[in-house]
Amino acid sequence: MTDFEALKSMEQRLLWLSSWIVHNANHLREKEEGDVKVGGHQASCASMVSIMTALYFHTLRPEDRVAVKPHASPVFHAMQYMMGNQTREKLENFRGYGGAQSYPSRTKDVDDVDFSTGSVGLGVAITAFASLMQDYLEAKPWASNRQLGRMIALVGDAELDEGNVYECLQEGWKHDLRNTWWVIDYNRQSLDGVVHEGLWEKIDAIFKAFGWRTIVLRHGVLQRAAFEEPGGDALKQWIQSCPNADYSALTYQGGAAWRKRLMDDIGDQGEVTTLLDARSDDELSALMNNLGGQCVQTLTEAFDRVTDDQPTVFLAYTIKGWGTPLAGHKDNHAGLMNPSQMADFQKRMAIPKGKEWEALAGIDDPDALQKLMDDAAFFSRGRRRFEAPSVKSSGPVFLDDRNQSTQAGFGKILDAIAKTDSELADRILTTSPDVTASTNLGPWVNRRSLFAREAKGDTFREQRIPSTQKWQFSPEGQHIELGIAEMNLFLMLGAAGLSHSLFGERIIPIGTVYDPFVARGLDAMNYACYQDSRFIIVGTPSGVTLAPEGGAHQSIGAQLIGMSQDGLVSFEPAFLDELSIIMDWSFDYLQRSGEGDPDERTWLRDETGGSVYLRLTTRSIDQLGLKARDDADFRRGVVDGGYWLREPGPNCEVVIAYQGCVAPEVIEAAGRIGNDRRDIGVLAITSADRLNSGWTAARRARARGQENAVSQIERLMGSVSRDATLITVTDGHPATLAWIGSVMGHRTAPLGVEHFGQTGTISDLYRHFMIDADAIVAAANHLSAGRNIRLAKQV
């Protein structure tokens, strides 16, 4: 058996197994749940079988990384099963609880998934940013001894409707992208129909404009051979001008329909008739289905011709449902073979009953196929998931500023780290979507410079023009400047935050963005967290504090995003010492990879680690006398999510709980209320996210019999009189803190921002939204028992 014959055997085996995985899972669901389908995939994955066979068993090397098209997951799982990296149990439970995932998942599948996919377009684009990270690491002396791999995406043609793909192309062009392949499964069918004619020409033009090589794989070896026969030119011209919908319909109808249509359209021209008559209906159908993306010989030859590092897109013409009875039908996206079709398919594939799961069943030369698997370079080193040692921090960097904003404090802390000759400083990588200077990353960049593979000087500095920014690019640089596209920011953070696993090198990625624009990149942020990528994202300025810019630059619901996003813990410190402690804790937290047993003090699963979202502000506030607060209990409270800034007494009538830079208003209001109310308490919340998560986790623990489970917020609120009124205040949505009243059943007045802001000063907007000191005092006056509180400010 030749290499191509062995590849064809693998192709047929993967076609069978992937179809069987879906059919078997659906059969089980129908038995358990009635007439319930688990979804298609049989047709969607069939078009990818040839491409994946050629790549994984001929072209790829262990250093290559692949983002598999979501609907090709059955092929991926089948391939991993063949290679011993996936279990039959999980495949029999495909799409079921605990089974192989519908879409390849780094965190939920046991097989060797490089990039999770599922949110279309994002799995494509992240390969470009992974390639940039590979270049970044190659330039560093502590990470340069490695073979460069190709970052490859298997792309559905309908994914090219996603805007983030084109944002990524532009960013790649800016950074001289290389070692990136995208293989487009051009089956010309999407979920709801057939793609528009001539799309391939637009794809070709767009990619070439950004410096990519484009290779169109339209015809397989059978078609190319037929084109050399008399009458072949006419056949080639007909194929290339046939509308996509017609080609799909004829594919589904088969050889007789092909013959009639070709004779009707081309006519009896002697040579064409001879070409067609030389083939049976089955042979004619095989010829017309032999597109470039369904021909392993065409694919391997095309892949082998690319020997440089220029980014390359392969436009591989395929047939959706290729090799199955569903081929070409416009409804096949969610289609499943019925039992009789599956029985016929099994017979045609020569799979004996009872042998469906056997790796080499139905193969004429199993020894040759086994040799192909044994020799496959991609699998030669086993599982390709790396680990990397943790990078230690030397402790919090405390600042001496008496009046400062947390955004400025963040910049100063990073600048202090940048001055050190430490491993932590060397491993930090910052990035920002064109807001580097305005989010206080300037000092870090001035000390650590910007990254580029080729050095580029700072023209202003060279010409002695004064500037606070030193925009020098070099391979040693530790900042990657991005354009104004927040999707690219989070894809960059996602790729950088997987460096320890993809490349075996620890990176501490820190990204900054205007807080309201977190929502612009939310899909990519969720995608990064879904992959368990590790990064710090700084959203600033928070709330309505960028008051003169108006509502477009003010954030309302970002706190709720931070609370609801899995894999991401959010903080909103008011004071610099809180920020220092949180940043130091975050450097460690994002490197953890434990089993996740809950901490019985907080009931949070901190040992698993995760990413961190810091919501900061440009508003300068008084820092309270920071040095007196550097003790273990204070640090613990800051990290756990809250502590008493003013502890309530036994007869407390009012508690004010706040998060973020409304601290001055709360402190002023507490002083005024304290003149007329007893034992007022002020609860400083650094993370509503952690308090809420601990609370729900403790309640679940108690439901499971752990009666002594008490969360941080229950511990804090447990000593407050049930008769006390709780006022929650934040520069964001009031729901962020309103839930605290439910912890111990306190009457609650939630103050916050629910509507778009307008231009003005911070005091104007705080008064407008009723989160200023007067509003807090008024809430206490109207809702709490006791004598009337004097509303005038105390002089």
Side-chain angles (χ1 to χ4, degrees), residues 70 118-125 155-169 182 199 206-207 487-488 491 523-524:
S119 185
V120 292
L122 297 177
V124 180
V155 187
D157 50 9
E159 289 188 88
L160 297 176
D161 289 343
E162 292 285 354
N164 72 274
V165 171
Y166 303 99
E167 294 178 35
C168 162
L169 285 179
W182 290 355
L199 175 63
I206 290 170
F207 278 88
M487 292 289 282
N488 283 340
L491 286 167
D523 193 12

Short mmCIF file of all heavy atoms in Angstrom, two decimals, residues 70 118-125 155-169 182 199 206-207 487-488 491 523-524:
data_model
loop_
_atom_site.label_atom_id
_atom_site.label_comp_id
_atom_site.label_asym_id
_atom_site.label_seq_id
_atom_site.Cartn_x
_atom_site.Cartn_y
_atom_site.Cartn_z
N PRO A 70 -15.44 23.97 14.73
CA PRO A 70 -16.34 23.38 15.73
C PRO A 70 -17.08 22.14 15.26
O PRO A 70 -17.13 21.13 15.97
CB PRO A 70 -17.30 24.53 16.05
CG PRO A 70 -16.52 25.77 15.78
CD PRO A 70 -15.62 25.44 14.62
N GLY A 118 -15.95 26.92 19.05
CA GLY A 118 -17.38 26.88 19.28
C GLY A 118 -18.02 28.23 19.00
O GLY A 118 -19.04 28.31 18.33
N SER A 119 -17.41 29.30 19.50
CA SER A 119 -17.88 30.65 19.17
C SER A 119 -17.21 31.02 17.84
O SER A 119 -16.02 31.32 17.79
CB SER A 119 -17.49 31.64 20.26
OG SER A 119 -18.03 32.90 19.98
N VAL A 120 -17.97 30.95 16.77
CA VAL A 120 -17.38 30.97 15.43
C VAL A 120 -16.55 32.23 15.19
O VAL A 120 -16.88 33.32 15.65
CB VAL A 120 -18.46 30.84 14.34
CG1 VAL A 120 -19.07 29.46 14.37
CG2 VAL A 120 -19.54 31.90 14.50
N GLY A 121 -15.47 32.05 14.48
CA GLY A 121 -14.56 33.13 14.14
C GLY A 121 -13.44 33.31 15.15
O GLY A 121 -12.32 33.65 14.77
N LEU A 122 -13.71 33.10 16.42
CA LEU A 122 -12.71 33.35 17.44
C LEU A 122 -11.61 32.29 17.43
O LEU A 122 -10.43 32.60 17.63
CB LEU A 122 -13.36 33.42 18.82
CG LEU A 122 -14.37 34.55 18.99
CD1 LEU A 122 -15.01 34.49 20.36
CD2 LEU A 122 -13.72 35.91 18.77
N GLY A 123 -11.98 31.04 17.20
CA GLY A 123 -10.98 30.00 17.08
C GLY A 123 -10.07 30.19 15.89
O GLY A 123 -8.94 29.69 15.85
N VAL A 124 -10.56 30.90 14.89
CA VAL A 124 -9.75 31.23 13.72
C VAL A 124 -8.71 32.28 14.11
O VAL A 124 -7.50 32.10 13.93
CB VAL A 124 -10.65 31.75 12.58
CG1 VAL A 124 -9.80 32.09 11.36
CG2 VAL A 124 -11.73 30.75 12.24
N ALA A 125 -9.20 33.38 14.65
CA ALA A 125 -8.34 34.53 14.89
C ALA A 125 -7.30 34.28 15.97
O ALA A 125 -6.19 34.83 15.90
CB ALA A 125 -9.20 35.74 15.27
N VAL A 155 -11.16 26.28 9.15
CA VAL A 155 -12.15 27.37 9.12
C VAL A 155 -13.36 26.97 8.29
O VAL A 155 -13.21 26.50 7.15
CB VAL A 155 -11.53 28.64 8.51
CG1 VAL A 155 -12.49 29.82 8.64
CG2 VAL A 155 -10.18 28.95 9.14
N GLY A 156 -14.55 27.17 8.82
CA GLY A 156 -15.75 27.05 8.01
C GLY A 156 -15.93 28.30 7.17
O GLY A 156 -15.69 29.41 7.64
N ASP A 157 -16.36 28.13 5.92
CA ASP A 157 -16.48 29.32 5.06
C ASP A 157 -17.47 30.33 5.62
O ASP A 157 -17.30 31.54 5.48
CB ASP A 157 -16.81 28.95 3.61
CG ASP A 157 -18.00 28.00 3.48
OD1 ASP A 157 -18.68 27.74 4.49
OD2 ASP A 157 -18.23 27.49 2.36
N ALA A 158 -18.51 29.86 6.32
CA ALA A 158 -19.47 30.79 6.92
C ALA A 158 -18.87 31.59 8.06
O ALA A 158 -19.36 32.67 8.39
CB ALA A 158 -20.70 30.03 7.40
N GLU A 159 -17.78 31.08 8.67
CA GLU A 159 -17.12 31.83 9.74
C GLU A 159 -16.53 33.13 9.22
O GLU A 159 -16.27 34.06 10.00
CB GLU A 159 -16.01 30.99 10.37
CG GLU A 159 -16.51 29.84 11.23
CD GLU A 159 -15.38 29.16 11.99
OE1 GLU A 159 -15.07 29.62 13.10
OE2 GLU A 159 -14.82 28.19 11.47
N LEU A 160 -16.30 33.20 7.92
CA LEU A 160 -15.71 34.41 7.36
C LEU A 160 -16.69 35.58 7.34
O LEU A 160 -16.32 36.69 6.96
CB LEU A 160 -15.20 34.13 5.94
CG LEU A 160 -14.09 33.08 5.87
CD1 LEU A 160 -13.71 32.80 4.43
CD2 LEU A 160 -12.86 33.52 6.66
N ASP A 161 -17.93 35.34 7.76
CA ASP A 161 -18.87 36.45 7.96
C ASP A 161 -18.57 37.20 9.26
O ASP A 161 -19.08 38.30 9.47
CB ASP A 161 -20.31 35.94 8.02
CG ASP A 161 -20.82 35.46 6.66
OD1 ASP A 161 -20.20 35.81 5.64
OD2 ASP A 161 -21.83 34.74 6.63
N GLU A 162 -17.79 36.61 10.15
CA GLU A 162 -17.51 37.22 11.45
C GLU A 162 -16.50 38.35 11.31
O GLU A 162 -15.41 38.18 10.76
CB GLU A 162 -16.97 36.17 12.43
CG GLU A 162 -17.98 35.11 12.83
CD GLU A 162 -19.02 35.64 13.82
OE1 GLU A 162 -18.87 36.79 14.28
OE2 GLU A 162 -19.97 34.90 14.13
N GLY A 163 -16.88 39.52 11.84
CA GLY A 163 -16.03 40.69 11.70
C GLY A 163 -14.68 40.57 12.38
O GLY A 163 -13.70 41.17 11.92
N ASN A 164 -14.60 39.79 13.46
CA ASN A 164 -13.33 39.71 14.18
C ASN A 164 -12.24 39.06 13.33
O ASN A 164 -11.05 39.27 13.57
CB ASN A 164 -13.49 38.96 15.49
CG ASN A 164 -13.70 37.47 15.33
OD1 ASN A 164 -14.82 37.03 15.14
ND2 ASN A 164 -12.64 36.70 15.40
N VAL A 165 -12.62 38.27 12.32
CA VAL A 165 -11.63 37.66 11.42
C VAL A 165 -10.85 38.75 10.69
O VAL A 165 -9.62 38.70 10.56
CB VAL A 165 -12.31 36.71 10.43
CG1 VAL A 165 -11.33 36.24 9.36
CG2 VAL A 165 -12.90 35.51 11.17
N TYR A 166 -11.56 39.78 10.24
CA TYR A 166 -10.91 40.83 9.44
C TYR A 166 -10.17 41.82 10.34
O TYR A 166 -9.14 42.38 9.94
CB TYR A 166 -11.96 41.50 8.56
CG TYR A 166 -12.64 40.47 7.70
CD1 TYR A 166 -13.87 39.94 8.06
CD2 TYR A 166 -12.00 39.94 6.58
CE1 TYR A 166 -14.47 38.95 7.30
CE2 TYR A 166 -12.58 38.95 5.82
CZ TYR A 166 -13.83 38.44 6.19
OH TYR A 166 -14.39 37.44 5.45
N GLU A 167 -10.68 42.05 11.55
CA GLU A 167 -9.92 42.84 12.51
C GLU A 167 -8.58 42.17 12.79
O GLU A 167 -7.54 42.83 12.90
CB GLU A 167 -10.72 42.99 13.81
CG GLU A 167 -12.00 43.80 13.68
CD GLU A 167 -12.76 43.86 15.00
OE1 GLU A 167 -12.12 43.91 16.05
OE2 GLU A 167 -14.00 43.86 14.97
N CYS A 168 -8.61 40.86 12.90
CA CYS A 168 -7.40 40.09 13.16
C CYS A 168 -6.42 40.20 11.99
O CYS A 168 -5.21 40.32 12.19
CB CYS A 168 -7.78 38.64 13.40
SG CYS A 168 -6.45 37.48 13.23
N LEU A 169 -6.93 40.15 10.76
CA LEU A 169 -6.05 40.25 9.59
C LEU A 169 -5.26 41.56 9.61
O LEU A 169 -4.06 41.59 9.32
CB LEU A 169 -6.87 40.16 8.30
CG LEU A 169 -7.40 38.80 7.89
CD1 LEU A 169 -8.20 38.92 6.60
CD2 LEU A 169 -6.27 37.80 7.71
N TRP A 182 -4.45 29.17 7.57
CA TRP A 182 -5.89 28.98 7.72
C TRP A 182 -6.36 28.12 6.55
O TRP A 182 -6.11 28.46 5.39
CB TRP A 182 -6.64 30.32 7.71
CG TRP A 182 -6.40 31.14 8.94
CD1 TRP A 182 -5.69 30.79 10.05
CD2 TRP A 182 -6.89 32.47 9.18
NE1 TRP A 182 -5.70 31.81 10.97
CE2 TRP A 182 -6.43 32.85 10.47
CE3 TRP A 182 -7.66 33.35 8.45
CZ2 TRP A 182 -6.72 34.09 11.02
CZ3 TRP A 182 -7.96 34.59 9.01
CH2 TRP A 182 -7.50 34.95 10.28
N LEU A 199 -17.71 34.29 -3.78
CA LEU A 199 -17.12 34.63 -2.49
C LEU A 199 -15.62 34.36 -2.49
O LEU A 199 -14.85 35.11 -1.90
CB LEU A 199 -17.80 33.83 -1.37
CG LEU A 199 -17.21 34.01 0.04
CD1 LEU A 199 -17.34 35.45 0.51
CD2 LEU A 199 -17.87 33.06 1.04
N ILE A 206 -8.96 39.86 -0.31
CA ILE A 206 -8.77 40.39 1.04
C ILE A 206 -7.48 39.86 1.65
O ILE A 206 -6.67 40.62 2.21
CB ILE A 206 -9.98 40.04 1.92
CG1 ILE A 206 -11.21 40.85 1.49
CG2 ILE A 206 -9.68 40.31 3.40
CD1 ILE A 206 -12.50 40.40 2.12
N PHE A 207 -7.26 38.57 1.55
CA PHE A 207 -6.07 37.99 2.17
C PHE A 207 -4.80 38.49 1.50
O PHE A 207 -3.81 38.80 2.17
CB PHE A 207 -6.15 36.47 2.13
CG PHE A 207 -6.97 35.89 3.24
CD1 PHE A 207 -8.34 35.71 3.09
CD2 PHE A 207 -6.40 35.54 4.44
CE1 PHE A 207 -9.11 35.18 4.11
CE2 PHE A 207 -7.15 35.02 5.48
CZ PHE A 207 -8.51 34.84 5.31
N MET A 487 -11.88 43.23 20.47
CA MET A 487 -11.86 41.79 20.22
C MET A 487 -10.42 41.30 20.10
O MET A 487 -10.05 40.26 20.63
CB MET A 487 -12.64 41.47 18.94
CG MET A 487 -14.13 41.71 19.05
SD MET A 487 -14.98 40.52 20.09
CE MET A 487 -15.08 39.14 18.98
N ASN A 488 -9.60 42.07 19.39
CA ASN A 488 -8.20 41.70 19.26
C ASN A 488 -7.48 41.73 20.61
O ASN A 488 -6.60 40.91 20.89
CB ASN A 488 -7.49 42.62 18.28
CG ASN A 488 -7.82 42.30 16.83
OD1 ASN A 488 -8.27 41.21 16.52
ND2 ASN A 488 -7.59 43.26 15.95
N LEU A 491 -8.39 38.53 22.39
CA LEU A 491 -7.77 37.39 21.72
C LEU A 491 -6.27 37.36 22.00
O LEU A 491 -5.67 36.29 22.18
CB LEU A 491 -8.04 37.45 20.22
CG LEU A 491 -9.47 37.09 19.80
CD1 LEU A 491 -9.73 37.49 18.36
CD2 LEU A 491 -9.73 35.60 20.00
N ASP A 523 -17.32 38.83 23.79
CA ASP A 523 -17.32 37.47 23.24
C ASP A 523 -15.91 36.87 23.30
O ASP A 523 -15.72 35.71 23.69
CB ASP A 523 -17.83 37.50 21.80
CG ASP A 523 -18.14 36.11 21.27
OD1 ASP A 523 -18.19 35.16 22.07
OD2 ASP A 523 -18.35 35.98 20.05
N ALA A 524 -14.91 37.68 22.93
CA ALA A 524 -13.53 37.19 22.97
C ALA A 524 -13.04 37.00 24.40
O ALA A 524 -12.24 36.11 24.68
CB ALA A 524 -12.62 38.15 22.21
#
